[in-house]
Amino acid sequence: MAEYNRVSECVGLITLRNPPVNALSAAVRQGIVDTVQRALSDPNVKSVVICGQNGIFCGGADIKEFRSNMTGPPLIPMIHAIESANKPVVAAIEGSALGGGLELALGCHYRIAHSKARLGLPEVSLGLLPAAGGSQRLPRLIGVPAALNLITTGRHVTAAEALQLGIVDQVTDHNTVAAAVKFALSVAGRSLDPRRISTHPCPQQPDLDALFEEVMQKVRQSARGAIAPIACVQAVRAAATLPYAQGMERERELMATLFTSGQARALQYCFFAERAVGRWRMPSGARWDTSKPRPVHKAAVIGLGTMGRGITVALAQTGLSVIAVETQEKQLMEAKQAISGMLERGAKGRGVAPALDGVIYSQNIQAVADVDLVIEAVFEDIALKTKVFQQLSAVCKPGTLLCTNTSALDVDQLASETPNPELVVGMHFFAPAHVMKLLEVVYGPRSSPQAVATAMQLGKKMGKASVAVGNCRGFVGNRMLKPYIEEAFFLLEEGATPELVDQALEEFGFPMGVFRMSDLSGLDVGWRVRKGDGLVEPGTASGRSARIRQGRRYSPLGDLLCEEGRFGQKTGRGWYQYDKPGSRVARFDPWLHSFLGAYRAQHGLVARRIDHQEVLERCLYALINEGFHILDDGIAAGPEDIDVIYVSGYGWPRHRGGPMFYANMVGLAKVLERLEHYQQLHPEVPHLQPSSLLRRLVASGSPPIHKWGEAIKKLHSQL
Ligand SMILES: CC/C=C/CC(=O)SCCNC(=O)CCNC(=O)[C@H](O)C(C)(C)COP(=O)(O)OP(=O)(O)OC[C@H]1O[C@@H](n2cnc3c(N)ncnc32)[C@H](O)[C@@H]1OP(=O)(O)O
């Protein structure tokens, strides 16, 4: 797994071989130990170069090994042996040098990088810290502030930034291995003492205590309960204040805590789940590896409201040419200005030219005649969308894929209004569409595998976490959100406050609790949907019967706030009050609290004490329970799909792995028992009735999450 060759007569060339990313598996580590030993003991070898095969240096430790008994030589002594070598060792970095890969390079005496290479210590995003000396060597090499930034964020830097920071010694546009071999020849015989980073003192930093205090505060705020970023700060502090050997001991202790933590398991699960959702499959048996996407060179967006504008930007930024259609001239001009501004700001951030010429604006739907794919983003009205789809079917060239950005309407119904339903899929973006990571690709029973493959590939090009899901009310994300929000309303009726509910959810790790979130997105959105469903009635009725609608418990609280004109941030009043309409700082609102008191009195409800645990159990288990229904219905192919949707689009804390992973961690039997408990107390709430899949999984011994797929298949075959 590490190949050895002698090149240019006196350079030992070690090539890491472990596709696809040359991860440091046990076999690769053993290969490095053996080949370094061979090079150092060969009197004809004057210097050594380490590189990786297929244009990638090394993607770090093999994450798949973390959950098994680790065998093979450990990384730390291996890197020490390289650093202590009496012949210069040069790292030739192409592609990526990440995590243990960069730590290996930091143990080398010199580093040469290709201009397109990316370097970083992303361990924090896996719930770990760079514990093969990375947390001790990097601050010694580039100083404490820069090392803190890289290690606590896990961000990857370009070769140019790495050169500027002092991580690499040279950047080349040409053959990196050839440049490294030439360099290795030029430094043969030079003293290596100054090149051993572990022997350096950390560069002096004025007012170290104040710096660490400030960084720790910042990290605690943004970590939202994640422990790895905090351990990273502590490890760098050890580098700055202790001799190397003691710093290494501190690094080891901190890593020991992180390595076995539930958070590390959750974050590593997310890493693999994000890759697993790309291997989509449909109930029909169609799959990612047997369905060929159609090429998309030209796309169109119909309707340039908030969503349409964001989608246009996301498409244009991938380099596609986009026809942006809005029938009203004034709206078209406003949209053009807004889209150009977004493209310019985005390009500035990425240091590239804005793709302004990539977008053609038109008032005429005929302009989309020759595009390969259209995304409809007009107002959420089935009659309007049907009309647009019929026009598109008449105008577009044969084979054009027709996508709808609906979040609530029936994709099958829209498809059935077109002569080619196999060409119709949902592409459910989240606002702002050019920023938010998540894309739900919604297929109906007649969507062709090729249409799904094309939408999934386009999502990937746009940098989205794209998840293929079946068609149902709310798809996956919003369908699960409904019971979560309803439980929050019921908790208010029973005595909780918006502040209490939000605090419990924010301490769990959500960036915003349900009520602050509702104020941000607008209370009128849900009101409109509930009106459409015939659930909204005038607010004068009282008593229990007024809170049973369509045969189930219903809380009219949100409707009553809307009747008062309280739509959230945009009106300056909602579940909280704001200094003025549009401002973002939520403040306690005495009006809301007396309103809740009067509401409870009117309905004969007696407020009781509700604690954080009840808030979490009722809101989260109701949401998770719906997730089990979704799996049972085959709307999501596996728990990873649901978890990626929640982590990338709904603010579920990544260090808790997503709702289904969380249920697995809590224990399925415990989730079931608590749902049964609450269902007994609230028999008129159907979403607290445990899903039959959850019951069946518990009855079959609560298999671990990676075995749910198999278990579900088996359980379905027994039905
Ligand atoms: C003892 C503890 C020590 C810890 C120190 C560490 O080194 S922890 C690991 C730190 N490294 C990382 O976090 C890097 C993770 N990988 C990436 O960021 C990216 O994969 C990449 C290297 C930038 C390459 O990206 P690209 O988009 O080209 O490919 P994919 O991400 O799709 O990956 C391809 C397949 O490779 C698998 N994979 C990637 N990295 C690792 C890894 N370090 N260990 C094991 N497997 C890895 C990935 O899962 C993909 O597999 P598929 O089966 O094809 O889905």
Side-chain angles (χ1 to χ4, degrees), residues 20-342:
V21 301
N22 298 322
L24 295 165
S25 63
V28 173
R29 297 196 304 275
Q30 188 62 58
I32 297 173
V33 168
D34 295 344
T35 50
V36 167
Q37 172 66 34
R38 188 168 162 191
L40 297 183
S41 56
D42 182 344
N44 295 316
V45 167
K46 302 284 176 251
S47 38
V48 182
V49 169
I50 304 181
C51 66
Q53 75 166 358
N54 290 340
I56 174 162
F57 181 71
C58 175
D62 186 342
I63 306 166
K64 290 193 188 95
E65 281 185 353
F66 291 177
R67 296 292 143 231
S68 56
N69 280 339
M70 304 251 299
T71 56
L75 271 178
I76 294 177
M78 181 191 96
I79 294 172
H80 260 279
I82 292 170
E83 193 187 57
S84 327
N86 55 5
K87 298 176 185 177
V89 185
V90 182
I93 301 172
E94 293 175 308
S96 300
L98 297 173
L102 180 54
E103 291 178 296
L104 167 66
L106 292 174
C108 297
H109 305 110
Y110 300 94
R111 287 156 292 282
I112 311 287
H114 189 268
S115 53
K116 294 218 167 88
R118 318 270 300 180
L119 298 88
L121 293 174
E123 286 87 340
V124 69
S125 59
L126 299 170
L128 304 174
L129 62 87
S135 75
Q136 304 304 299
R137 283 196 180 89
L138 194 65
R140 285 177 161 78
L141 184 64
I142 65 172
V144 170
L148 272 172
N149 174 272
L150 258 62
I151 293 173
T152 58
T153 62
R155 76 184 177 90
H156 302 181
V157 296
T158 60
E161 190 179 350
L163 183 67
Q164 195 199 344
L165 287 169
I167 300 176
V168 299
D169 303 290
Q170 201 179 86
V171 173
T172 178
D173 282 327
H174 306 289
N175 184 317
T176 315
V177 177
V181 168
K182 190 169 162 205
F183 187 91
L185 285 167
S186 75
V187 293
R190 276 201 210 160
S191 161
L192 292 172
D193 286 344
R195 305 302 308 177
R196 297 188 174 106
I197 300 171
S198 74
T199 64
H200 298 184
C202 239
Q204 288 289 317
Q205 179 68 38
D207 214 349
L208 207 56
D209 285 341
L211 171 74
F212 276 106
E213 208 169 296
E214 188 193 324
V215 173
M216 189 59 104
Q217 223 171 22
K218 236 198 239 162
V219 163
R220 273 191 210 284
Q221 253 171 19
S222 58
R224 295 194 274 126
I227 55 175
I230 291 160
C232 286
V233 179
Q234 291 168 330
V236 176
R237 189 181 184 111
T241 54
L242 297 173
Y244 176 75
Q246 285 176 38
M248 285 299 285
E249 180 51 22
R250 184 77 181 119
E251 184 191 87
R252 191 195 60 74
E253 286 166 5
L254 290 163
M255 179 64 157
T257 309
L258 295 181
F259 198 72
T260 49
S261 69
Q263 293 197 4
R265 276 184 63 189
L267 288 159
Q268 289 155 29
Y269 164 84
C270 286
F271 175 85
F272 289 114
E274 279 163 358
R275 282 148 185 89
V277 297
R279 297 188 280 272
W280 56 270
R281 55 194 192 278
M282 290 160 73
S284 62
R287 300 159 46 104
W288 64 284
D289 51 352
T290 51
S291 311
K292 196 165 177 260
R294 294 171 81 100
V296 177
H297 303 294
K298 202 167 178 185
V301 179
I302 313 291
L304 299 180
T306 310
M307 288 311 292
R309 292 174 191 188
I311 296 168
T312 304
V313 172
L315 289 168
Q317 282 177 344
T318 65
L320 286 180
S321 65
V322 187
I323 315 281
V325 178
E326 174 62 62
T327 48
Q328 303 299 313
E329 189 183 355
K330 183 166 172 282
Q331 273 95 318
L332 184 72
M333 287 305 118
E334 282 171 4
K336 182 175 179 180
Q337 205 179 3
I339 290 168
S340 303
M342 287 192 268

Side-chain angles (χ1 to χ4, degrees), residues 86 134 174 194 257 352 430 479 497 500 522:
N86 55 5
H174 306 289
T257 309
V352 295
F430 291 73
R479 176 169 157 184
T497 61
L500 175 107

Side-chain angles (χ1 to χ4, degrees), residues 651-670:
W652 185 282
R654 195 177 168 86
H655 61 269
R656 294 193 190 265
M660 308 321 282
F661 182 85
Y662 179 68
N664 173 67
M665 288 290 269
V666 170
L668 298 188
K670 164 97 188 286

